[in-house]
Amino acid sequence: MNFDFSDDLKQLRDEARRFLSEQATPAVARRALDGQERYDATLWKAIAEMGWIGAAIPEEYGGAGLGYEGLCVLAEEIGRTVAPVPFASTAYLAAEAILLAGTEAQKREWLPRIADGSVIGCFALSEGTGNPDPRSIRARAVGGKLSGVKYPVTDGGIADVAIVVAHDEAGEIALYLLPLKGVARTDLKTIDPTHNHARFDLDAAGAEKLGAAGGWDQVQRLLDRAAILFAFEQVGGSDACLQMARSYAQERYAFGRPIGSFQAIKHKLADVYVALELARSNAYFGAWALAADASDLPLAAATVRVSATEAYHLASKENIQTHGGIGFTWQVDCHLFYRRAKHLGTTLGGAPFWKDRLVSLIETRNAA
Amino acid sequence: MNFDFSDDLKQLRDEARRFLSEQATPAVARRALDGQERYDATLWKAIAEMGWIGAAIPEEYGGAGLGYEGLCVLAEEIGRTVAPVPFASTAYLAAEAILLAGTEAQKREWLPRIADGSVIGCFALSEGTGNPDPRSIRARAVGGKLSGVKYPVTDGGIADVAIVVAHDEAGEIALYLLPLKGVARTDLKTIDPTHNHARFDLDAAGAEKLGAAGGWDQVQRLLDRAAILFAFEQVGGSDACLQMARSYAQERYAFGRPIGSFQAIKHKLADVYVALELARSNAYFGAWALAADASDLPLAAATVRVSATEAYHLASKENIQTHGGIGFTWQVDCHLFYRRAKHLGTTLGGAPFWKDRLVSLIETRNAA
Amino acid sequence: MDFNDTPEEATFRAEVRSFLQANAQPKAGTRPVLRQSGIDAEGVRRCKEWQAKKADAGFAGLTWPKRFGGREASPIMQVIYNQEEDNYVVPKGLYEIGLGMCIPTMMAYAKPEQLERYVKPALRGEEVWCQLFSEPAGGSDLAALRTRAEKDGDDWVINGQKIWTSGAHLSDFGIIVVRTDPNVPKHEGLTFFFLDMKSPGIEIRPIHQMSGARHFNEVFFTDVRVPDAQRLGAVGQGWKVSLTTLMNERLAVGDVQRPDVDDLVELARTVTVDGQPAIRNGAVRERIAEWYARSQGLKFTRFRTITALSRGETPGPENSIHKLVNASKLQDIASYGIDLMGEAGILVDDEVAEAYGMFQAALLSSPSSRIAGGSDEILRNIIAERVLGLPGDIRVDKNVPFNKVPSGSR
Amino acid sequence: MDFNDTPEEATFRAEVRSFLQANAQPKAGTRPVLRQSGIDAEGVRRCKEWQAKKADAGFAGLTWPKRFGGREASPIMQVIYNQEEDNYVVPKGLYEIGLGMCIPTMMAYAKPEQLERYVKPALRGEEVWCQLFSEPAGGSDLAALRTRAEKDGDDWVINGQKIWTSGAHLSDFGIIVVRTDPNVPKHEGLTFFFLDMKSPGIEIRPIHQMSGARHFNEVFFTDVRVPDAQRLGAVGQGWKVSLTTLMNERLAVGDVQRPDVDDLVELARTVTVDGQPAIRNGAVRERIAEWYARSQGLKFTRFRTITALSRGETPGPENSIHKLVNASKLQDIASYGIDLMGEAGILVDDEVAEAYGMFQAALLSSPSSRIAGGSDEILRNIIAERVLGLPGDIRVDKNVPFNKVPSGSR
C-alpha cells in the first residue's frame, strides 16, 4: 500500500506553497475584498505560466499532464490561501466539463486556451436558492440559443466562457458551452467578495451543446469530481486556519500565560485537528479515486465533501474564536477564511445535499 | 408573573428530598439492580402513606389533591434518586389514564386504591421495537377480551393493573383497563434493572374499555401529560448527576490540583449545567401547562421532552467521564443514573419521535 | 405559577403602554433591521429626542433615586418597561452604557456636587457617556490593562490605548480604569476616573468589523490630563470600582437576535430539499426542534429571573447562560440556513438574498457575539466557578508585580 | 497512490493466508461477540494452543530479534499479519499486553540471562505477563503512584495497590513501577521491576464493570519481596522505563467496535420512523452520513499510518485520534440506535433485543472506552501539546517532592 503522494508531487507541493506564500498573500485577496479588483490578473497569469491550470489536462490538449493527484496537491495549496483567482471555476469545473462531455473538436478548441490562462471558465448551475436538483433547472436551449436566468455564478463576471446546465430541445438536461462576450451579466454581492459572483440573464444567447446530452447524471458526475478537488482546497484552508490559531495561541498571553496553555483553547484546537485529519484522509481517498477513475468515486466524493466542509467551517470559526476580539475585525485575516469556507461549502451544494447523497450511495452499494 | 413554585410546594420539595435522601439511597436501588427484588415494597409503602402517589388525584377519589404542580415537585425529587418504585407507571400513567379517560365508576373503583398504594399500575403501549405509532398496534379486544403481545411494559411484572392500548371491536384505538392477576407475564432484562420490565402475552384476557374509545389522540394526550412528569424526573436525575460530578471534581486531585480546576472538566460541567437549566425552565412551563390544562400543553410537553432527555443523557454520561476509571465500575453509582436516563428517555418514545412531533406542533400553531 | 402581573405591575404596565402608544410607532412587519453601521447625526438627534421624552414622562432611570429624576422603582418595573418598549420602534444604542453602567458607578463613587452636575443631563440624554476598560493586551484578562496614569500636581496624566469602546466618538464623558502602579500585582495597581471625552490628547478611531459594522472604537491617549477630583474610589482601588460597573452589566437584556428558530421555520417552508419543502425533511425538523427547545428554555429561564427580580432577589452569574447559548445558536442557525439555500446562500444583498439576507448578516456578526462582552470560554469559566463552585484556573500572575507578569509578543 | 502490496509484502501476505487457512476458522456471519466476561480455563487453553501454533509457524514476535524466535521483520509485516488474522476467528486477549508491552520493556532493560529465561516462553505463550502501572490515586496522572518499595538486603519489599490490571489472575509474571523515594518530585522517585505473580503477599480481585464485564483486576501488595536482580533500569529511573512500555502501546491496533455505522444502516432499514423505514428519514440519514464520513476518515488515516510504517517511519502521537473519535462515536451510535428503537431500546437480552443487543452492550461499555487507556481529555491534551505544539498545562506539582503534592480526599 502506498497511500501518500509521490515525492515528485510533494516537491510540487512545496514549490507551490513557497510561491503562493509570497505571491498569494492575504494582501492580494484584500484588493478583491475591498472592491479594487474582481480577481488578481497578475497572480492568475503566473499560475497559468506554471502550468497549474492545466495540471490535469492531457498534454495533447495543451495541459501539463500531471494527472489528478497533481491537481489535488495544487488545490490544497491554493486552498491554503484565499487567492482571488478563478482557479476552481476554470480548472475543476469548466475544464473538467469539457474533458468529461466535450467532443474532440470542443476539447481542441477550448482546453489549450484554458490551460494557458487565456480563457477563464465558470460553471452556471444554480437558478437562485436551492441545492443541486434537476427539477430546479428552467434554462432551456432552442436552436442553439440559451434562455434563462442563472445565479449565482462564481467568477461569472470575469469569465470568458461558461458551462451552463440547461434543458435541450428534447427536454433533456445537458451541458452547454456559452462564450460570454456580450452576454448580460450583473455582479452580485456575496459573503465572499474575494471571488467574483454574477447573475446571467440569458435571452437567446448563442451556445453549443457539450458533446451529447448526458442528462443530470452527467452534471452529478461533474459535481462529484469537483467535490474532491474542492475538498483539497477546503483541507488546505482548514490547515491554514489551524496554523493561524495555533501560532496566535502560542504567542498571545492572558493571565500571565500563553492562551494556548488553557485547555479551553488546547482542546478546541485538538478538535479542529481531528476534523482536519479525517477530512484529509478522506481527501486522499478521493484523489486516488479521481486518478484511478474508480467506481467508488461518487461515494468517495460525497464522503470527503461532508468531512471537508465540516472541517473548514469549524476551523475557520474557531480560528476567529481563538483570536478573540481582534479576530472579528476587518483588518485581521481570520474572516477571509471564514467567508471562503462558507463559499466553498455551499457551491456545488451544501452539506445537507451531500449527506443525503452519501446515504443514497451507501444504499446503492449495499444493494449491489 | 410568578414563574416559580409556591412556598408550600417548596416545603414539600424539601421534605421529599430529605425523606428520599435517607430512604431511597442507591443501596436500595442496588437491591433491585442485583436482582434481589423487583421493586422496593417498603419504600413504596412509605411513599403511599405520605400521599405522593395520589398527589394529583382529586380528594374525591382518595387523592391528596395537591394538583399537578405538587406532582411535578415530587417527580423531580424522585428523579433525583434511582428509586426502584413503580411511581411513574402508577402515578403518571395508570392514574392519569383513568383520570383522563375513565368513567366515573372506573375512577371510583381504581383511583382510591392507586392513591393508597394498594394497586400498582402500569402502561402497556409498545409491541416490540418502535416509537409510539398507531400503525404498530396489533393488540385487539373482542367481547371484552384482550389479545396480543405487549413489551416492554415498565413495572409490568409487579403491577396489579395495566392500561393497555388496543383496537376495539370497531377497529378504533382505545385504552383498556386490564387487571393483571392470572395474566401471562415474563420478566425481561433491560439496561435499567432498577425497574421491572415485562412482556405480556395476552390471549383473551378479561379487560374493560376505559370510558369511550378516544382513538390515538387520547393515547397521545396521555403521553403528552406523562412527558411533562417524566421531564421533572429527568431534571432531578440530571441535577443529581451534576452534583455528583461537581463534588467529585472538587475532591479528586490529579497533577497536584483538584480535577475541577482543569477547564476540560469545568467547561464540561458548565455545559451540563446549561442543558439542565434549559430543561428545568421548560419543565416549569410544562408544570404550568399541566396545572392550567393549557392549550399549549402538547407543545410544552414535546419541548421539555426534547430538552430533558438531552440533559439527562448528557449529565449522566459526563458524570461517568468526570469520575474516570472508578466511574465505570459496578460499585460506584454513576451507571445507575446513566441507565435510568436512557430508560426514561426511551419510554414514551425516544428523542427522534418527540422532535418530529415538536415540529408538527409548531407547524400546527403557525397555521392557526 | 401564573403569568399575571401583580396589581401594581399591571397599573404600571398600563401606564407604559399608554405612553408608548402616544409617542412611538408599533413594530409593524417582521423584517429585521440588519446593518447597524453605527449611529449618524440624524440618529443621534432621534435618540436625544426620545430620551428627553422618556425622561420627561418619568420612564428614564426607573430604579434611580428620585432626587436624580428616578422613580425608585423595583427592577421588575424596568423589565416591564423594556418588555413593552420592545413592541415599538424606538431609537436605540446611544445611552445603554452611560445609563446602565457609567452613571450607576458615578452614583456609587462620585461626590455629591459631581452627581448634581452629571446625573440629570445624562438621564435626559443631553450628555452621552462611554466606558473605557478594554485594551488590546487585555482581552479576556480585563485587569491586565496597561494604559497608565501618573500623578502630576493635582492632575493625572494618562497615556495608552483603550479598545472596543462603543460610542466613544459620540460621547461627552467617559469612565476609565488605568494603571497607576505597575509594581504591584495586577488588580492592585489600578485607579478609576471619569473624564471629558473632548480633553486634548484623546484620539478616537472606529474599528471596522468583519461584518462591516463600526460600532466600536479604539481610543488613544497622549498626555491626557484628568483632575484628581475626577477620581472615583481610592488610588489603587480601581478594580473594585470596575466590578461595580460590570455588575450593572449583568442585568442588561440581550436583544432578540435574528434569525431565530421561527425564521428558520419560515425559511424551511420556502426552500426545498429533494423537491419538497425543507420542513418536511427529518434532518431539518430535528434541528428546528433542538433550537426551539433551546430558545424556549432561555425564554423561560428569563421568566424565572424576572420572578426572582419581582421578589427583590438579585440575579446572579447563572445569567451567563443566555449569551453563551444564544451566540452559538445564532451562528449555527445562520450557517445551517445558508446550507439549505445552497449556492445562493452566499448572496448578501437584501433585495436578492433569501429572508432579506438575515442569515448571511448573522453568519458574519455571530463570531463577535461569541467573543464580545465575555467569550464563550470566559462564560463557561464563570458558570463553573461562580455557579458550580469549581476551583479557579491556576493563576500564575497572582501575587506577581504586574510588570513582571509574562505577556508574550501579541 | 495505490493499495497494492510491494512484492515482498505480497509474498508475506500469501504466506500468512495459507497459514491461517490451514489453522483457523474464517469469520462466518456478522454477529458480533458481545459479552467478554473474561477468559475462562477453556479460553486460556485455546489461547495457549493458538499462540504455540503461531510461534511454531514463525508468526509470533514478527518484529523481534531472531535469537528470541522473532523474524526481525518490519512493522508493516505485523500490520499485514493483523489484517489477515482479523478475517479469522482466533482466541484473543491473553498475550497482547505481555508481548506488546512487557517483553519489549524486558528486551530494553533486562540482563541477557533473564532474556534467555523469559522471552521464549512468553513468545510461545507458555507464560503470561501483565502490567502493573495504574493506581487508584493516579488515574490520568499515571506517575502519581503511591505503591512503595523499600530496600531490604538484596530484596525490595512492595506494599500498596495497583488497579486496572488486565489478566492479573491469569499471569505468571508482571512488570511493575513503584515509588522508592517519596521525597523527590513525582517522576524522579520511581523504580521499575518485574516480578513473579505467584509471590506471597499478592492478592488479586476482579473489578466488576458497569457493563458486567470483569476484564480488569485490583492487585494488592502486602510485603511482597522482589529481588533487586529483577530491577529494570536504575533506581529512580522507573518513569523512563515506563515510557518505553507505554510507547509500545501506541502501535496497538484497536479492535473494530460494534455497532459501527454499517450496523446503524442495517438497523435503520429494519426499524420504522413515522411508518417508513428509518433510513428514509432525513435526520437518520444525516447522522449516518456524518458517522460514515468519520469512520472512513479513520480508516484512511490508518492507511496513511501504514504507509508511513512501510517506509520505516515511526507513527507518532497523532494516532491518538483513533481512540478519541471512536469512543464517542461508539457511544453516540449506540445511544442513537436505541432512541430509534423506542421503548424496546432498553432490552438487552440478545434473543429479544434488536441487532442482538449490540447497541445496548455498546451503550454500557462505551463509557469505559472514553476513559481507559487515556481519557478523551488526556488524548486532546496529547494532540494539543505533542502534535500542535501548544504549551503544557500549568504544573503545580513540578519540582515539588511527591509527598508534598496536594492530593485531596479521593
Side-chain angles (χ1 to χ4, degrees):
Chain A
M1 173 180 313
N2 175 13
F3 197 61
D4 196 1
F5 291 108
S6 69
D7 289 343
D8 281 357
L9 290 178
K10 286 183 183 168
Q11 197 182 329
L12 173 67
R13 180 191 64 196
D14 295 345
E15 285 164 13
R17 191 173 303 181
R18 206 172 312 118
F19 171 80
L20 289 167
S21 67
E22 287 161 13
Q23 304 297 321
T25 59
V28 172
R30 282 180 177 278
R31 289 204 290 271
L33 183 72
D34 297 340
Q36 294 170 46
E37 59 184 28
R38 293 154 90 200
Y39 78 107
D40 194 281
T42 314
L43 181 61
W44 182 242
K45 193 153 170 283
I47 283 174
E49 276 166 10
M50 290 184 295
W52 293 4
I53 305 171
I57 295 175
E59 288 169 277
E60 53 183 310
Y61 303 122
L66 288 172
Y68 285 101
E69 290 189 22
L71 188 56
C72 287
V73 160
L74 292 169
E76 181 177 340
E77 296 313 312
I78 286 177
R80 206 174 281 281
T81 71
V82 279
V85 287
F87 193 76
S89 300
T90 306
Y92 317 155
L93 287 163
E96 279 299 305
I98 294 167
L99 277 166
L100 195 67
T103 62
E104 185 61 25
Q106 287 166 334
K107 291 179 189 170
R108 293 209 175 280
E109 182 182 356
W110 291 99
L111 292 176
R113 290 155 64 200
I114 285 178
D116 72 11
S118 56
V119 161
I120 292 174
C122 67
F123 181 54
L125 166 62
S126 296
E127 303 184 5
T129 302
N131 278 296
D133 186 341
R135 286 164 289 196
S136 71
I137 304 299
R138 299 272 169 278
R140 186 167 294 277
V142 179
K145 303 284 183 186
L146 273 179
S147 296
V149 176
K150 288 284 178 184
Y151 73 95
V153 182
T154 303
D155 299 315
I158 58 171
D160 304 294
V161 64
I163 307 299
V164 180
V165 179
H167 291 277
D168 65 11
E169 282 88 345
E172 288 288 302
I173 297 270
L175 295 172
Y176 282 84
L177 211 154
L178 170 71
L180 288 169
K181 202 165 178 184
V183 169
R185 291 176 276 171
T186 323
D187 281 358
L188 296 172
K189 285 186 201 162
T190 75
I191 54 169
D192 185 7
T194 61
H195 266 302
N196 169 270
H197 289 90
R199 172 187 166 113
F200 293 179
D201 286 280
L202 305 176
D203 182 14
E208 53 177 302
K209 198 187 279 187
L210 209 54
W216 182 257
D217 284 356
Q218 196 176 56
V219 175
Q220 185 62 59
R221 205 143 53 232
L222 182 61
L223 292 175
D224 286 347
R225 300 174 71 84
I228 295 169
L229 295 159
F230 270 67
F232 274 92
E233 287 208 5
Q234 292 169 311
V235 164
S238 306
D239 201 3
C241 290
L242 178 59
Q243 296 314 322
M244 280 172 81
R246 177 178 164 271
S247 302
Y248 191 79
Q250 286 168 325
E251 293 166 16
R252 167 80 178 182
Y253 277 58
F255 305 99
R257 40 194 278 211
I259 62 168
S261 72
F262 288 98
Q263 288 185 336
I265 299 294
K266 290 165 79 160
H267 291 193
K268 181 199 299 299
L269 298 187
D271 287 340
V272 171
Y273 173 81
V274 168
L276 166 61
E277 284 306 290
L278 297 180
R280 184 190 294 283
S281 296
N282 282 330
Y284 276 36
F285 186 60
W288 171 83
L290 207 49
D293 200 12
S295 63
D296 279 349
L297 191 145
L299 192 52
T303 304
V304 70
R305 176 79 183 163
V306 169
S307 47
T309 299
E310 182 191 330
Y312 200 3
H313 180 60
L314 177 73
S316 65
K317 80 190 173 94
E318 299 308 332
N319 181 35
I320 297 176
Q321 185 70 15
T322 302
H323 276 72
I326 202 80
F328 63 80
T329 61
W330 189 263
Q331 89 264 19
V332 167
D333 295 325
C334 299
H335 70 112
L336 303 183
F337 292 87
Y338 181 69
R339 292 165 179 276
R340 180 62 65 88
K342 204 57 175 175
H343 167 47
L344 290 179
T346 48
T347 306
L348 309 182
F353 168 80
W354 287 95
K355 287 177 186 171
D356 189 75
R357 177 168 166 77
L358 174 52
V359 180
S360 299
L361 292 164
I362 294 172
E363 291 181 280
T364 309
R365 182 201 63 184
N366 289 0
Chain B
M1 172 179 315
N2 176 14
F3 199 60
D4 197 1
F5 291 108
S6 69
D7 288 343
D8 281 356
L9 290 177
K10 285 183 184 166
Q11 198 184 327
L12 174 67
R13 180 191 65 195
D14 295 346
E15 285 163 14
R17 192 174 304 181
R18 207 173 311 118
F19 171 80
L20 290 167
S21 68
E22 287 160 13
Q23 304 297 321
T25 58
V28 173
R30 281 180 178 278
R31 289 205 291 272
L33 183 72
D34 297 340
Q36 295 170 44
E37 58 184 28
R38 293 153 92 200
Y39 78 108
D40 193 277
T42 314
L43 181 61
W44 181 243
K45 194 153 168 282
I47 283 174
E49 277 166 9
M50 289 184 295
W52 294 4
I53 306 171
I57 295 176
E59 289 169 274
E60 55 184 307
Y61 303 122
L66 287 172
Y68 285 101
E69 290 187 23
L71 189 55
C72 288
V73 159
L74 294 169
E76 180 176 341
E77 296 313 311
I78 285 177
R80 207 174 279 283
T81 71
V82 279
V85 286
F87 193 77
S89 300
T90 306
Y92 318 156
L93 288 163
E96 280 298 305
I98 294 167
L99 276 167
L100 196 67
T103 62
E104 187 61 23
Q106 288 166 332
K107 290 179 191 170
R108 296 213 171 276
E109 181 181 357
W110 291 99
L111 292 175
R113 291 154 66 199
I114 286 178
D116 72 11
S118 56
V119 161
I120 292 175
C122 67
F123 181 54
L125 166 62
S126 295
E127 302 185 6
T129 302
N131 278 297
D133 186 340
R135 287 163 289 197
S136 71
I137 305 299
R138 300 273 170 278
R140 186 168 295 276
V142 179
K145 303 283 182 186
L146 272 179
S147 296
V149 176
K150 290 282 175 184
Y151 74 94
V153 182
T154 302
D155 299 314
I158 59 170
D160 305 295
V161 65
I163 307 299
V164 180
V165 179
H167 291 276
D168 64 13
E169 282 87 346
E172 287 290 302
I173 296 270
L175 295 172
Y176 281 84
L177 211 153
L178 172 72
L180 289 168
K181 203 165 181 186
V183 168
R185 292 178 275 172
T186 325
D187 281 357
L188 296 171
K189 286 188 200 159
T190 75
I191 54 169
D192 185 7
T194 61
H195 267 301
N196 169 268
H197 289 90
R199 172 187 165 114
F200 293 177
D201 287 279
L202 305 177
D203 183 14
E208 52 177 303
K209 197 188 280 188
L210 209 53
W216 182 256
D217 284 356
Q218 195 176 57
V219 175
Q220 184 63 57
R221 204 143 51 232
L222 182 61
L223 292 175
D224 287 347
R225 301 174 70 83
I228 294 169
L229 295 160
F230 271 67
F232 274 92
E233 288 209 6
Q234 292 170 312
V235 164
S238 307
D239 201 4
C241 291
L242 178 59
Q243 297 312 322
M244 281 173 79
R246 176 178 164 271
S247 302
Y248 191 79
Q250 286 169 326
E251 292 164 17
R252 168 79 178 181
Y253 277 57
F255 305 100
R257 41 195 276 212
I259 63 168
S261 72
F262 288 99
Q263 288 185 336
I265 299 294
K266 291 165 77 158
H267 292 193
K268 180 198 300 301
L269 298 187
D271 288 341
V272 171
Y273 173 81
V274 168
L276 166 60
E277 285 304 292
L278 297 180
R280 183 190 296 282
S281 296
N282 282 330
Y284 276 35
F285 186 59
W288 172 82
L290 207 48
D293 201 12
S295 62
D296 277 351
L297 191 146
L299 192 52
T303 304
V304 69
R305 177 78 183 163
V306 168
S307 46
T309 299
E310 182 191 328
Y312 201 3
H313 179 60
L314 178 73
S316 65
K317 77 190 175 92
E318 298 309 331
N319 181 35
I320 298 175
Q321 184 70 14
T322 301
H323 277 73
I326 202 77
F328 63 81
T329 61
W330 188 264
Q331 89 264 21
V332 165
D333 296 326
C334 300
H335 69 112
L336 303 184
F337 292 87
Y338 181 68
R339 293 165 181 275
R340 179 63 64 87
K342 204 55 173 180
H343 167 46
L344 291 179
T346 48
T347 305
L348 309 183
F353 168 79
W354 286 95
K355 287 178 187 170
D356 189 73
R357 175 165 168 79
L358 174 52
V359 180
S360 299
L361 292 164
I362 294 173
E363 290 181 280
T364 309
R365 183 201 61 184
N366 288 0
Chain C
M1 282 184 186
D2 62 63
F3 291 101
N4 308 323
D5 287 333
T6 63
E8 192 198 0
E9 288 165 4
T11 308
F12 179 72
R13 194 185 293 277
E15 191 192 334
V16 174
R17 278 188 187 163
S18 69
F19 166 70
L20 289 165
Q21 270 165 18
N23 292 285
Q25 185 74 19
K27 275 184 189 165
T30 56
R31 181 162 177 172
V33 180
L34 293 181
R35 244 152 292 157
Q36 302 155 329
S37 44
I39 302 177
D40 59 10
E42 169 58 17
V44 169
R45 197 194 57 73
R46 287 173 47 232
C47 282
K48 294 206 165 189
E49 188 181 52
W50 174 246
Q51 186 66 21
K53 205 174 267 181
K54 255 172 85 169
D56 291 345
F59 293 112
L62 279 171
T63 59
W64 290 9
K66 288 188 180 162
R67 69 178 190 283
F68 297 130
R71 275 206 193 198
E72 300 181 4
S74 78
I76 189 73
M77 301 303 183
Q78 186 66 59
V79 169
I80 289 171
Y81 180 85
N82 294 348
Q83 286 175 338
E84 294 300 320
E85 198 191 70
D86 200 41
N87 298 320
Y88 289 81
V89 182
V90 297
K92 278 188 174 174
L94 194 57
Y95 300 111
E96 285 75 1
I97 287 170
L99 300 182
M101 304 174 74
C102 303
I103 300 298
T105 308
M106 291 286 284
M107 289 200 267
Y109 289 96
K111 301 177 187 76
E113 62 274 20
Q114 290 170 329
L115 296 177
E116 284 304 319
R117 157 68 188 84
Y118 293 106
V119 176
K120 278 202 181 155
L123 191 70
R124 286 190 45 83
E126 290 155 13
E127 290 173 352
V128 181
W129 286 68
C130 65
Q131 181 240 68
L132 300 143
F133 282 15
S134 293
E135 297 196 6
S140 292
D141 186 5
L142 196 58
L145 54 92
R146 298 181 190 171
T147 295
R148 63 194 185 284
E150 276 149 17
K151 192 80 188 288
D152 183 35
D154 284 344
D155 287 350
W156 293 81
V157 180
I158 300 179
N159 280 284
Q161 182 197 346
K162 294 288 176 178
I163 197 170
W164 309 122
T165 314
S166 302
H169 58 302
L170 303 172
S171 292
D172 301 292
F173 300 96
I175 54 175
I176 188 168
V177 58
V178 294
R179 188 161 303 279
T180 45
D181 185 355
N183 300 304
V184 294
K186 189 167 73 175
H187 292 105
E188 296 167 25
L190 304 177
T191 305
F192 204 106
F193 299 91
F194 71 89
L195 52 66
D196 186 338
M197 287 300 287
K198 307 291 185 275
S199 306
I202 294 182
E203 190 198 343
I204 297 167
R205 292 185 206 153
I207 297 172
H208 190 182
Q209 292 178 60
M210 61 174 278
S211 63
R214 294 172 191 268
H215 298 301
F216 300 113
N217 299 280
E218 293 180 289
V219 183
F220 296 85
F221 293 83
T222 311
D223 294 333
V224 175
R225 300 190 79 87
V226 180
D228 185 59
Q230 290 178 200
R231 178 162 44 77
L232 297 176
V235 174
Q237 292 293 304
W239 184 245
K240 193 177 151 232
V241 183
S242 302
L243 292 180
T244 311
T245 313
L246 296 172
M247 203 131 62
N248 280 292
E249 196 174 24
R250 195 182 291 156
L251 272 176
V253 177
D255 280 338
V256 175
Q257 292 174 302
R258 305 216 19 208
D260 200 349
V261 65
D262 288 334
D263 297 305
L264 184 64
V265 169
E266 196 48 43
L267 179 74
R269 293 157 57 114
T270 314
V271 303
T272 60
V273 166
D274 207 13
Q276 283 213 310
I279 199 159
R280 301 258 59 76
N281 183 277
V284 178
R285 295 172 81 79
E286 185 171 89
R287 305 290 187 109
I288 289 173
E290 290 168 1
W291 285 318
Y292 181 83
R294 232 164 284 172
S295 294
Q296 291 292 102
L298 285 182
K299 175 179 158 183
F300 294 121
T301 300
R302 198 167 295 122
F303 283 6
R304 287 166 59 204
T305 305
I306 291 172
T307 299
L309 264 179
S310 75
R311 291 180 182 163
E313 296 162 20
T314 310
E318 65 275 10
N319 277 292
S320 300
I321 80 172
H322 288 283
K323 195 176 100 71
L324 179 59
V325 174
N326 263 329
S328 281
K329 180 158 65 69
L330 183 69
Q331 186 169 43
D332 293 346
I333 289 177
S335 176
Y336 190 67
I338 289 171
D339 290 348
L340 290 180
M341 296 175 205
E343 194 166 26
I346 58 173
L347 299 172
V348 292
D349 192 321
D350 57 6
E351 299 298 320
V352 180
E354 208 64 49
Y356 317 116
M358 175 163 41
F359 289 82
Q360 292 73 20
L363 186 82
L364 299 179
S365 68
S366 55
S368 79
S369 301
R370 288 181 56 203
I371 296 165
S375 68
D376 288 0
E377 292 75 20
I378 291 294
L379 296 177
R380 286 199 179 90
N381 255 15
I382 288 174
I383 291 171
E385 295 174 15
R386 292 169 59 194
V387 181
L388 301 179
L390 293 171
D393 293 339
I394 301 291
R395 292 286 303 276
V396 298
D397 58 352
K398 212 174 170 177
N399 306 325
V400 177
F402 180 70
N403 54 16
K404 297 278 187 289
V405 172
S407 63
S409 63
R410 297 178 96 144
Chain D
M1 282 185 185
D2 63 64
F3 292 100
N4 307 324
D5 287 334
T6 64
E8 192 197 359
E9 289 164 5
T11 307
F12 178 73
R13 192 184 293 275
E15 192 192 333
V16 173
R17 279 188 187 165
S18 68
F19 165 70
L20 289 165
Q21 269 165 17
N23 293 285
Q25 185 75 19
K27 275 185 188 164
T30 56
R31 183 161 175 174
V33 180
L34 292 184
R35 242 153 294 157
Q36 301 155 332
S37 45
I39 303 177
D40 60 9
E42 168 59 17
V44 168
R45 198 195 56 73
R46 288 171 48 230
C47 283
K48 293 203 167 192
E49 187 182 55
W50 174 246
Q51 185 66 22
K53 205 174 265 178
K54 256 173 82 168
D56 291 346
F59 293 113
L62 279 170
T63 59
W64 291 9
K66 288 185 178 161
R67 72 179 188 283
F68 296 128
R71 275 205 191 198
E72 301 182 1
S74 77
I76 189 72
M77 300 304 184
Q78 186 65 58
V79 169
I80 289 171
Y81 180 84
N82 294 348
Q83 285 174 340
E84 294 300 321
E85 198 190 68
D86 199 41
N87 299 321
Y88 289 81
V89 182
V90 299
K92 280 191 174 172
L94 195 58
Y95 299 111
E96 285 74 2
I97 287 170
L99 301 181
M101 302 174 75
C102 303
I103 301 299
T105 307
M106 291 285 285
M107 288 200 265
Y109 289 96
K111 300 178 187 71
E113 62 275 20
Q114 291 170 329
L115 296 177
E116 284 305 319
R117 158 67 187 87
Y118 292 105
V119 176
K120 278 201 181 155
L123 191 71
R124 284 190 47 81
E126 292 155 10
E127 290 171 352
V128 181
W129 286 67
C130 65
Q131 182 240 68
L132 300 142
F133 282 15
S134 292
E135 297 195 6
S140 292
D141 186 7
L142 196 58
L145 54 92
R146 298 179 189 173
T147 295
R148 62 195 186 283
E150 275 149 17
K151 194 80 187 288
D152 181 36
D154 283 343
D155 287 350
W156 293 81
V157 180
I158 300 180
N159 281 284
Q161 182 196 347
K162 295 287 178 179
I163 197 170
W164 309 122
T165 315
S166 302
H169 57 304
L170 303 171
S171 292
D172 301 289
F173 301 95
I175 53 175
I176 188 168
V177 59
V178 293
R179 187 160 306 279
T180 45
D181 186 354
N183 300 304
V184 294
K186 187 166 76 176
H187 292 106
E188 294 166 27
L190 303 176
T191 305
F192 204 105
F193 299 91
F194 71 90
L195 50 68
D196 186 337
M197 287 299 287
K198 307 290 184 274
S199 307
I202 294 183
E203 189 199 343
I204 296 168
R205 294 186 204 151
I207 297 172
H208 190 182
Q209 293 178 59
M210 60 174 278
S211 64
R214 294 171 191 269
H215 297 301
F216 301 113
N217 299 281
E218 293 181 289
V219 183
F220 296 85
F221 294 82
T222 311
D223 293 335
V224 175
R225 300 191 78 87
V226 180
D228 186 60
Q230 289 178 202
R231 179 163 42 77
L232 298 175
V235 173
Q237 292 291 304
W239 185 245
K240 191 176 153 232
V241 183
S242 301
L243 291 180
T244 311
T245 313
L246 295 173
M247 201 130 60
N248 281 292
E249 196 175 23
R250 194 181 294 155
L251 272 177
V253 177
D255 279 338
V256 174
Q257 292 173 300
R258 299 200 43 193
D260 200 350
V261 65
D262 287 334
D263 297 305
L264 184 64
V265 169
E266 195 49 42
L267 179 74
R269 291 156 58 115
T270 314
V271 303
T272 60
V273 166
D274 206 14
Q276 284 214 310
I279 198 160
R280 299 259 60 74
N281 183 278
V284 179
R285 294 172 80 79
E286 185 172 270
R287 304 288 187 111
I288 290 173
E290 289 168 2
W291 285 318
Y292 182 83
R294 233 166 283 171
S295 293
Q296 291 290 103
L298 285 182
K299 174 178 159 184
F300 295 120
T301 299
R302 198 168 294 121
F303 284 7
R304 288 167 57 203
T305 304
I306 292 172
T307 299
L309 264 180
S310 76
R311 290 180 182 163
E313 297 163 19
T314 309
E318 66 274 9
N319 276 293
S320 301
I321 81 171
H322 289 284
K323 194 176 102 67
L324 179 60
V325 173
N326 264 329
S328 280
K329 179 158 66 69
L330 183 68
Q331 186 168 42
D332 293 345
I333 289 177
S335 176
Y336 190 67
I338 289 171
D339 290 347
L340 290 180
M341 296 175 204
E343 195 167 24
I346 58 173
L347 299 171
V348 294
D349 191 321
D350 58 5
E351 301 298 319
V352 181
E354 210 60 52
Y356 316 115
M358 172 162 47
F359 288 81
Q360 291 74 19
L363 186 82
L364 298 179
S365 68
S366 54
S368 78
S369 301
R370 288 181 54 202
I371 294 166
S375 69
D376 288 0
E377 291 75 20
I378 291 292
L379 296 177
R380 287 199 179 90
N381 254 15
I382 288 174
I383 291 171
E385 295 174 15
R386 292 167 60 193
V387 181
L388 300 179
L390 292 172
D393 293 338
I394 302 290
R395 292 286 302 276
V396 298
D397 58 351
K398 211 176 172 178
N399 306 324
V400 177
F402 180 71
N403 53 15
K404 297 277 186 289
V405 172
S407 63
S409 61
R410 295 178 98 143

